[in-house]
Amino acid sequence: EKGGYEYFMLKEIAEQPSAVADTLLGKLVDGRIVLDEQRLSDQELRDIDKVFIVACGSAYHSGLVAKYAIEHWTRIPCEVEIASEFRYRDPVLDRSTLVVAISQSGETADTLEAVRHAKSQKARVLAVCNTNGAQIPREADAVLYTHAGPEIGVASTKAYLAQIAANYLVGLALAQARGTKFPDEVSAEFHALEQMPELIGQVVERLDQVRQIARELADSKSVLFLGRHVGYPTALEGALKLKELAYMHAEGFPAGELKHGPIALIEEGLPVFVVMPPLHGRSLLHSKLISNIQEIKARGARTIIISAEGDEVVKPFADYLIEIPETTTLLQPLLSTIPYQAFAAEVAAARGYDVDKPRNLAKSVTVE
Ligand code: M6R
Protein backbone atom coordinates (compact mmCIF):
# COMPACT_ATOMS: atom_id res chain seq x y z
CA GLU A 1 0.00 0.00 0.00
CA LYS A 2 3.02 2.25 0.10
CA GLY A 3 2.69 2.35 -3.69
CA GLY A 4 6.39 1.71 -4.28
CA TYR A 5 7.56 4.33 -1.78
CA GLU A 6 9.94 3.37 1.04
CA TYR A 7 7.62 4.85 3.62
CA PHE A 8 4.16 6.36 3.82
CA MET A 9 5.47 9.83 4.44
CA LEU A 10 7.12 9.94 1.00
CA LYS A 11 3.92 8.71 -0.59
CA GLU A 12 1.94 11.34 1.30
CA ILE A 13 4.36 14.09 0.25
CA ALA A 14 3.77 13.00 -3.34
CA GLU A 15 -0.01 13.07 -2.85
CA GLN A 16 -0.02 16.76 -1.98
CA PRO A 17 -1.17 18.05 -5.38
CA SER A 18 -4.38 16.03 -5.11
CA ALA A 19 -4.80 16.76 -1.39
CA VAL A 20 -4.96 20.47 -2.20
CA ALA A 21 -6.95 20.05 -5.42
CA ASP A 22 -9.56 17.85 -3.71
CA THR A 23 -9.87 20.32 -0.85
CA LEU A 24 -10.72 23.09 -3.31
CA LEU A 25 -13.04 20.95 -5.41
CA GLY A 26 -16.61 22.25 -5.58
CA LYS A 27 -15.91 25.05 -3.11
CA LEU A 28 -16.75 27.87 -5.50
CA VAL A 29 -20.39 27.69 -6.58
CA ASP A 30 -21.80 30.48 -8.75
CA GLY A 31 -18.91 32.69 -7.71
CA ARG A 32 -19.44 32.07 -3.98
CA ILE A 33 -17.32 30.10 -1.52
CA VAL A 34 -19.37 27.39 0.18
CA LEU A 35 -18.54 25.54 3.37
CA ASP A 36 -19.45 21.85 3.85
CA GLU A 37 -21.68 22.05 6.88
CA GLN A 38 -22.98 25.49 7.58
CA ARG A 39 -25.04 25.76 10.71
CA LEU A 40 -24.36 29.50 10.94
CA SER A 41 -26.59 32.02 9.19
CA ASP A 42 -25.13 34.55 6.77
CA GLN A 43 -26.05 37.20 9.33
CA GLU A 44 -24.04 35.39 12.04
CA LEU A 45 -21.03 35.23 9.72
CA ARG A 46 -21.42 38.92 8.87
CA ASP A 47 -21.46 39.79 12.56
CA ILE A 48 -18.12 38.16 13.29
CA ASP A 49 -15.73 40.82 14.58
CA LYS A 50 -12.89 38.67 15.89
CA VAL A 51 -11.31 35.37 14.83
CA PHE A 52 -9.41 33.00 17.09
CA ILE A 53 -7.65 30.07 15.46
CA VAL A 54 -6.93 27.21 17.85
CA ALA A 55 -4.93 24.08 17.03
CA CYS A 56 -1.87 22.02 17.98
CA GLY A 57 1.39 21.16 16.28
CA SER A 58 1.40 21.44 12.53
CA ALA A 59 -2.26 22.42 12.48
CA TYR A 60 -1.28 25.41 14.62
CA HIS A 61 1.36 26.37 12.07
CA SER A 62 -1.26 26.23 9.31
CA GLY A 63 -3.30 28.63 11.44
CA LEU A 64 -0.37 31.02 11.73
CA VAL A 65 -0.15 31.08 7.94
CA ALA A 66 -3.90 31.74 7.73
CA LYS A 67 -3.70 34.81 9.95
CA TYR A 68 -1.81 36.72 7.26
CA ALA A 69 -4.53 36.02 4.70
CA ILE A 70 -7.52 36.45 7.00
CA GLU A 71 -6.50 39.86 8.35
CA HIS A 72 -5.41 41.04 4.90
CA TRP A 73 -8.63 39.99 3.22
CA THR A 74 -11.22 40.61 5.91
CA ARG A 75 -9.74 43.32 8.17
CA ILE A 76 -11.07 41.26 11.10
CA PRO A 77 -8.52 40.86 13.90
CA CYS A 78 -7.31 37.27 13.99
CA GLU A 79 -5.36 35.60 16.77
CA VAL A 80 -3.80 32.16 16.56
CA GLU A 81 -3.26 30.19 19.69
CA ILE A 82 -2.06 26.76 20.77
CA ALA A 83 -5.27 25.01 21.86
CA SER A 84 -3.93 23.88 25.24
CA GLU A 85 -2.98 27.47 26.10
CA PHE A 86 -6.22 29.00 24.86
CA ARG A 87 -8.23 26.58 26.95
CA TYR A 88 -6.59 27.34 30.27
CA ARG A 89 -6.42 31.09 30.21
CA ASP A 90 -9.39 33.35 29.99
CA PRO A 91 -9.75 34.42 26.36
CA VAL A 92 -12.28 37.16 25.63
CA LEU A 93 -15.01 35.52 23.57
CA ASP A 94 -18.62 36.27 22.75
CA ARG A 95 -21.20 35.45 20.12
CA SER A 96 -19.49 37.60 17.53
CA THR A 97 -16.22 35.69 17.90
CA LEU A 98 -15.44 32.96 15.41
CA VAL A 99 -13.20 30.22 16.76
CA VAL A 100 -11.63 28.18 13.96
CA ALA A 101 -10.47 24.80 15.24
CA ILE A 102 -8.04 23.09 12.89
CA SER A 103 -7.40 19.39 13.32
CA GLN A 104 -6.43 16.64 10.90
CA SER A 105 -7.81 13.88 13.09
CA GLY A 106 -10.68 15.87 14.57
CA GLU A 107 -10.06 14.00 17.82
CA THR A 108 -7.18 15.95 19.40
CA ALA A 109 -8.16 16.37 23.04
CA ASP A 110 -6.56 19.79 23.50
CA THR A 111 -8.35 21.20 20.46
CA LEU A 112 -11.64 19.56 21.40
CA GLU A 113 -11.48 21.10 24.88
CA ALA A 114 -10.75 24.49 23.33
CA VAL A 115 -13.85 24.06 21.15
CA ARG A 116 -15.98 23.21 24.19
CA HIS A 117 -14.62 26.17 26.08
CA ALA A 118 -15.39 28.46 23.12
CA LYS A 119 -18.93 27.14 22.90
CA SER A 120 -19.49 27.62 26.61
CA GLN A 121 -18.62 31.28 26.05
CA LYS A 122 -21.16 31.47 23.18
CA ALA A 123 -18.51 31.86 20.47
CA ARG A 124 -19.24 30.38 17.02
CA VAL A 125 -17.03 27.46 16.10
CA LEU A 126 -15.88 26.42 12.66
CA ALA A 127 -13.91 23.19 12.31
CA VAL A 128 -11.33 22.57 9.61
CA CYS A 129 -10.91 18.82 9.71
CA ASN A 130 -9.65 15.91 7.61
CA THR A 131 -11.76 13.18 9.19
CA ASN A 132 -15.42 12.93 8.37
CA GLY A 133 -17.70 12.88 11.37
CA ALA A 134 -14.93 13.15 13.99
CA GLN A 135 -15.72 14.70 17.35
CA ILE A 136 -14.51 18.24 16.65
CA PRO A 137 -16.61 18.69 13.49
CA ARG A 138 -19.55 17.09 15.28
CA GLU A 139 -19.46 19.73 18.00
CA ALA A 140 -18.77 22.67 15.68
CA ASP A 141 -21.32 25.09 14.20
CA ALA A 142 -19.78 24.89 10.77
CA VAL A 143 -17.29 22.56 9.09
CA LEU A 144 -14.89 22.73 6.22
CA TYR A 145 -13.29 19.40 5.40
CA THR A 146 -9.80 19.04 4.03
CA HIS A 147 -9.72 16.19 1.52
CA ALA A 148 -6.20 14.94 1.99
CA GLY A 149 -7.33 11.33 2.44
CA PRO A 150 -6.07 9.18 5.31
CA GLU A 151 -2.65 10.22 6.56
CA ILE A 152 -0.63 7.32 7.97
CA GLY A 153 2.74 8.96 8.68
CA VAL A 154 2.76 10.49 12.15
CA ALA A 155 4.33 13.62 10.70
CA SER A 156 1.70 15.66 8.95
CA THR A 157 2.40 16.51 5.31
CA LYS A 158 -0.52 16.38 2.89
CA ALA A 159 -3.01 17.23 5.64
CA TYR A 160 -0.93 20.31 6.46
CA LEU A 161 -0.98 21.66 2.91
CA ALA A 162 -4.68 20.88 2.65
CA GLN A 163 -5.23 22.82 5.90
CA ILE A 164 -3.48 25.86 4.47
CA ALA A 165 -5.73 25.71 1.39
CA ALA A 166 -8.85 25.24 3.53
CA ASN A 167 -7.90 28.07 5.86
CA TYR A 168 -7.65 30.36 2.86
CA LEU A 169 -11.18 29.34 1.91
CA VAL A 170 -12.29 30.30 5.43
CA GLY A 171 -10.70 33.72 4.89
CA LEU A 172 -12.45 34.11 1.55
CA ALA A 173 -15.79 32.98 3.00
CA LEU A 174 -15.47 35.63 5.71
CA ALA A 175 -14.40 38.30 3.23
CA GLN A 176 -17.42 37.48 1.09
CA ALA A 177 -19.81 37.55 4.07
CA ARG A 178 -18.40 40.83 5.35
CA GLY A 179 -18.17 42.38 1.89
CA THR A 180 -14.49 43.26 2.30
CA LYS A 181 -13.90 41.65 -1.09
CA PHE A 182 -16.02 41.90 -4.21
CA PRO A 183 -17.30 38.59 -5.61
CA ASP A 184 -14.93 38.77 -8.57
CA GLU A 185 -11.99 39.29 -6.21
CA VAL A 186 -13.03 36.23 -4.21
CA SER A 187 -13.24 34.21 -7.43
CA ALA A 188 -9.82 35.48 -8.54
CA GLU A 189 -8.20 34.45 -5.25
CA PHE A 190 -9.89 31.06 -5.53
CA HIS A 191 -8.62 30.56 -9.07
CA ALA A 192 -5.09 31.49 -7.95
CA LEU A 193 -5.36 28.74 -5.31
CA GLU A 194 -6.54 26.33 -8.00
CA GLN A 195 -3.26 26.86 -9.86
CA MET A 196 -1.26 25.60 -6.90
CA PRO A 197 -1.59 21.79 -7.24
CA GLU A 198 0.32 21.91 -10.50
CA LEU A 199 3.16 23.93 -8.91
CA ILE A 200 3.13 21.66 -5.84
CA GLY A 201 3.63 18.74 -8.25
CA GLN A 202 6.68 20.46 -9.74
CA VAL A 203 8.26 20.86 -6.30
CA VAL A 204 7.54 17.22 -5.43
CA GLU A 205 9.21 16.06 -8.63
CA ARG A 206 12.43 17.83 -7.75
CA LEU A 207 12.96 16.57 -4.22
CA ASP A 208 16.00 14.43 -5.05
CA GLN A 209 18.20 17.47 -4.59
CA VAL A 210 16.79 18.10 -1.10
CA ARG A 211 17.29 14.46 -0.14
CA GLN A 212 20.92 14.72 -1.23
CA ILE A 213 21.41 17.83 0.92
CA ALA A 214 19.76 15.98 3.82
CA ARG A 215 22.25 13.12 3.56
CA GLU A 216 25.11 15.63 3.60
CA LEU A 217 23.77 17.39 6.69
CA ALA A 218 22.44 14.33 8.54
CA ASP A 219 25.14 14.53 11.20
CA SER A 220 24.43 18.12 12.19
CA LYS A 221 23.86 18.79 15.88
CA SER A 222 21.40 21.57 15.30
CA VAL A 223 19.62 23.27 12.42
CA LEU A 224 17.94 26.68 12.35
CA PHE A 225 15.07 27.85 10.17
CA LEU A 226 14.42 31.50 9.38
CA GLY A 227 11.65 33.31 7.58
CA ARG A 228 9.60 36.46 7.54
CA HIS A 229 5.85 36.97 7.03
CA VAL A 230 4.33 33.56 6.08
CA GLY A 231 7.90 32.27 5.88
CA TYR A 232 7.98 32.46 9.66
CA PRO A 233 5.34 29.76 10.33
CA THR A 234 6.99 27.78 7.56
CA ALA A 235 10.22 27.98 9.56
CA LEU A 236 8.40 26.67 12.64
CA GLU A 237 6.98 23.80 10.60
CA GLY A 238 10.42 22.94 9.17
CA ALA A 239 11.87 22.81 12.68
CA LEU A 240 9.00 20.71 14.04
CA LYS A 241 9.38 18.16 11.26
CA LEU A 242 13.08 17.81 11.98
CA LYS A 243 12.57 17.46 15.73
CA GLU A 244 9.86 14.87 15.51
CA LEU A 245 11.38 12.71 12.79
CA ALA A 246 15.14 13.09 13.11
CA TYR A 247 15.29 13.85 16.86
CA MET A 248 17.57 16.72 15.96
CA HIS A 249 17.66 20.05 17.72
CA ALA A 250 15.93 22.52 15.44
CA GLU A 251 14.40 25.93 15.93
CA GLY A 252 12.44 28.29 13.73
CA PHE A 253 12.68 32.06 14.14
CA PRO A 254 11.29 35.16 12.51
CA ALA A 255 14.40 36.45 10.74
CA GLY A 256 13.88 39.90 12.24
CA GLU A 257 14.33 38.43 15.72
CA LEU A 258 17.87 37.25 15.01
CA LYS A 259 19.60 40.25 16.51
CA HIS A 260 17.40 40.06 19.58
CA GLY A 261 19.06 36.87 20.71
CA PRO A 262 19.20 33.87 18.38
CA ILE A 263 22.13 35.22 16.36
CA ALA A 264 24.28 34.23 19.33
CA LEU A 265 23.68 30.62 18.31
CA ILE A 266 25.33 31.04 14.93
CA GLU A 267 28.72 29.36 14.71
CA GLU A 268 30.97 28.05 11.97
CA GLY A 269 29.18 25.47 9.82
CA LEU A 270 25.74 25.69 11.46
CA PRO A 271 23.10 24.85 8.81
CA VAL A 272 20.47 27.59 8.51
CA PHE A 273 17.46 27.29 6.22
CA VAL A 274 15.89 30.46 4.88
CA VAL A 275 12.73 30.83 2.78
CA MET A 276 12.99 33.85 0.50
CA PRO A 277 9.72 35.62 -0.38
CA PRO A 278 9.19 36.11 -4.12
CA LEU A 279 11.40 38.94 -5.34
CA HIS A 280 8.56 40.65 -7.18
CA GLY A 281 5.95 40.22 -4.45
CA ARG A 282 7.10 42.30 -1.53
CA SER A 283 10.60 43.34 -2.37
CA LEU A 284 10.98 45.10 0.98
CA LEU A 285 10.72 41.74 2.73
CA HIS A 286 13.17 40.30 0.25
CA SER A 287 15.85 42.90 0.93
CA LYS A 288 15.38 42.57 4.70
CA LEU A 289 16.02 38.86 4.39
CA ILE A 290 19.11 39.43 2.27
CA SER A 291 20.53 41.53 5.13
CA ASN A 292 19.68 38.78 7.61
CA ILE A 293 21.45 36.22 5.45
CA GLN A 294 24.51 38.47 5.24
CA GLU A 295 24.55 38.70 9.03
CA ILE A 296 24.51 34.95 9.54
CA LYS A 297 26.94 34.19 6.75
CA ALA A 298 29.42 36.64 8.23
CA ARG A 299 29.33 34.46 11.36
CA GLY A 300 29.99 31.22 9.52
CA ALA A 301 26.47 29.80 8.97
CA ARG A 302 25.97 27.40 6.10
CA THR A 303 22.91 28.67 4.25
CA ILE A 304 20.30 26.53 2.56
CA ILE A 305 18.05 28.92 0.69
CA ILE A 306 14.62 28.20 -0.72
CA SER A 307 13.79 30.81 -3.32
CA ALA A 308 11.67 31.41 -6.39
CA GLU A 309 13.13 30.46 -9.75
CA GLY A 310 14.75 33.44 -11.38
CA ASP A 311 15.73 35.09 -8.09
CA GLU A 312 19.30 36.00 -9.03
CA VAL A 313 19.74 38.37 -6.09
CA VAL A 314 19.91 35.66 -3.45
CA LYS A 315 22.14 33.22 -5.34
CA PRO A 316 25.53 34.55 -4.19
CA PHE A 317 24.43 34.02 -0.57
CA ALA A 318 23.38 30.40 -0.89
CA ASP A 319 25.63 27.51 0.03
CA TYR A 320 22.78 25.32 -1.14
CA LEU A 321 20.00 26.69 -3.34
CA ILE A 322 16.59 25.01 -3.61
CA GLU A 323 14.44 26.60 -6.27
CA ILE A 324 10.66 26.52 -6.26
CA PRO A 325 8.23 27.96 -8.82
CA GLU A 326 7.34 31.60 -8.42
CA THR A 327 4.00 32.39 -6.79
CA THR A 328 2.59 35.14 -4.56
CA THR A 329 3.89 35.73 -1.05
CA LEU A 330 0.64 34.49 0.52
CA LEU A 331 0.52 31.25 -1.44
CA GLN A 332 4.20 30.45 -1.13
CA PRO A 333 3.91 28.18 1.97
CA LEU A 334 2.07 25.68 -0.22
CA LEU A 335 5.40 25.23 -2.02
CA SER A 336 8.14 26.23 0.42
CA THR A 337 7.06 23.74 3.10
CA ILE A 338 7.62 20.72 0.87
CA PRO A 339 11.44 20.73 0.85
CA TYR A 340 11.32 20.85 4.68
CA GLN A 341 9.16 17.74 4.79
CA ALA A 342 11.51 15.82 2.50
CA PHE A 343 14.58 17.08 4.34
CA ALA A 344 13.34 15.84 7.73
CA ALA A 345 12.25 12.47 6.33
CA GLU A 346 15.60 11.91 4.66
CA VAL A 347 17.66 12.94 7.69
CA ALA A 348 15.59 10.53 9.79
CA ALA A 349 16.11 7.74 7.27
CA ALA A 350 19.84 8.45 7.07
CA ARG A 351 20.02 8.20 10.84
CA GLY A 352 18.23 4.88 10.72
CA TYR A 353 14.97 6.02 12.33
CA ASP A 354 11.44 4.91 11.55
CA VAL A 355 10.14 7.76 9.40
CA ASP A 356 6.46 6.88 9.71
CA LYS A 357 6.47 6.13 13.43
CA PRO A 358 8.81 8.42 15.33
CA ARG A 359 9.49 7.56 18.94
CA ASN A 360 7.18 8.81 21.70
CA LEU A 361 4.55 10.15 19.29
CA ALA A 362 1.04 9.09 18.35
CA LYS A 363 -0.83 10.06 15.20
CA SER A 364 -3.82 11.21 17.15
CA VAL A 365 -3.36 12.70 20.61
CA THR A 366 -6.59 11.96 22.44
CA VAL A 367 -5.41 12.82 25.94
CA GLU A 368 -4.65 16.31 27.20
O1 M6R B 1 -4.96 15.72 14.35
P1 M6R B 1 -4.46 17.11 14.65
O2 M6R B 1 -4.32 17.93 13.42
O3 M6R B 1 -5.33 17.82 15.66
O4 M6R B 1 -3.03 16.93 15.27
C1 M6R B 1 -2.32 18.04 15.75
C2 M6R B 1 -0.88 17.69 16.04
O5 M6R B 1 -0.82 16.66 17.00
C3 M6R B 1 -0.13 17.26 14.77
O6 M6R B 1 -0.15 18.24 13.78
C4 M6R B 1 1.34 16.93 15.13
O7 M6R B 1 2.01 18.09 15.49
C5 M6R B 1 2.03 16.24 13.95
N1 M6R B 1 2.82 15.15 14.44
C6 M6R B 1 2.93 17.17 13.18
O8 M6R B 1 3.64 16.53 12.18
Side-chain angles (χ1 to χ4, degrees):
E1 347 144 9
K2 288 185 196 150
Y5 292 92
E6 289 151 70
Y7 25 85
F8 280 108
M9 187 176 166
L10 277 190
K11 175 170 178 270
E12 290 165 358
I13 288 174
E15 286 169 348
Q16 293 184 110
S18 53
V20 170
D22 293 350
T23 297
L24 298 173
L25 201 68
K27 287 295 173 293
L28 189 75
V29 180
D30 298 332
R32 287 186 66 80
I33 302 288
V34 289
L35 303 177
D36 293 311
E37 293 175 25
Q38 170 68 292
R39 295 178 285 264
L40 291 175
S41 67
D42 284 351
Q43 186 60 45
E44 283 170 319
L45 266 192
R46 256 196 302 280
D47 288 344
I48 298 298
D49 61 11
K50 167 126 194 193
V51 176
F52 262 110
I53 299 179
V54 295
C56 307
S58 292
Y60 167 71
H61 297 154
S62 83
L64 289 175
V65 172
K67 174 185 167 85
Y68 293 86
I70 290 178
E71 291 196 338
H72 182 61
W73 289 337
T74 70
R75 310 309 300 147
I76 304 173
C78 172
E79 282 188 47
V80 192
E81 195 161 356
I82 303 259
S84 55
E85 286 299 315
F86 173 87
R87 166 69 186 83
Y88 292 107
R89 58 182 192 89
D90 195 10
V92 181
L93 308 169
D94 59 33
R95 50 183 79 248
S96 53
T97 310
L98 182 70
V99 172
V100 181
I102 308 170
S103 174
Q104 186 284 129
S105 62
E107 303 288 351
T108 298
D110 291 311
T111 312
L112 179 58
E113 285 307 320
V115 164
R116 290 178 176 159
H117 182 69
K119 292 204 76 170
S120 75
Q121 304 293 301
K122 307 274 182 284
R124 316 294 179 186
V125 175
L126 184 148
V128 173
C129 183
N130 196 47
T131 313
N132 225 309
Q135 196 62 26
I136 291 171
R138 278 215 299 271
E139 296 194 19
D141 298 305
V143 185
L144 181 58
Y145 282 107
T146 48
H147 291 278
E151 196 177 56
I152 310 291
V154 164
S156 187
T157 52
K158 60 177 181 170
Y160 178 73
L161 285 206
Q163 279 162 353
I164 293 179
N167 296 345
Y168 280 6
L169 294 180
V170 172
L172 291 177
L174 280 172
Q176 127 192 314
R178 306 260 309 172
T180 48
K181 274 201 169 292
F182 293 115
D184 55 334
E185 292 174 314
V186 170
S187 301
E189 296 290 356
F190 182 85
H191 294 313
L193 267 170
E194 275 187 318
Q195 306 301 309
M196 296 311 289
E198 158 136 24
L199 304 184
I200 293 169
Q202 292 174 19
V203 179
V204 168
E205 267 159 39
R206 290 188 227 146
L207 289 175
D208 279 348
Q209 181 211 4
V210 177
R211 299 180 73 189
Q212 175 58 36
I213 297 172
R215 288 189 289 271
E216 285 176 38
L217 299 178
D219 290 331
S220 307
K221 280 226 152 5
S222 173
V223 175
L224 300 186
F225 293 80
L226 300 180
R228 282 175 180 262
H229 196 271
V230 290
Y232 163 48
T234 304
L236 296 180
E237 176 65 4
L240 177 63
K241 285 283 155 297
L242 200 54
K243 283 181 241 196
E244 65 179 341
L245 294 175
Y247 320 146
M248 192 186 276
H249 173 251
E251 280 192 74
F253 297 112
E257 272 292 291
L258 265 180
K259 57 179 89 51
H260 302 287
I263 200 162
L265 291 168
I266 308 288
E267 55 187 25
E268 198 57 42
L270 179 78
V272 183
F273 276 94
V274 186
V275 172
M276 292 302 294
L279 185 53
H280 304 296
R282 291 164 186 251
S283 43
L284 187 61
L285 273 183
H286 190 281
S287 61
K288 292 282 173 201
L289 266 158
I290 293 284
S291 324
N292 295 135
I293 295 171
Q294 285 171 320
E295 288 157 10
I296 58 169
K297 268 194 89 65
R299 291 162 178 83
R302 234 178 328 166
T303 54
I304 310 110
I305 311 262
I306 299 178
S307 64
E309 281 156 1
D311 181 344
E312 299 297 325
V313 180
V314 78
K315 279 189 181 165
F317 304 103
D319 293 309
Y320 300 93
L321 184 73
I322 300 166
E323 292 192 298
I324 57 175
E326 168 138 29
T327 181
T328 61
T329 304
L330 270 180
L331 296 181
Q332 202 191 31
L334 289 167
L335 307 180
S336 54
T337 310
I338 303 169
Y340 288 169
Q341 301 167 340
F343 180 78
E346 192 64 24
V347 172
R351 291 180 154 208
Y353 303 146
D354 185 336
V355 173
D356 290 328
K357 286 196 184 58
R359 69 185 182 198
N360 306 340
L361 293 173
K363 181 67 188 163
S364 176
V365 185
T366 53
V367 287
E368 276 189 68

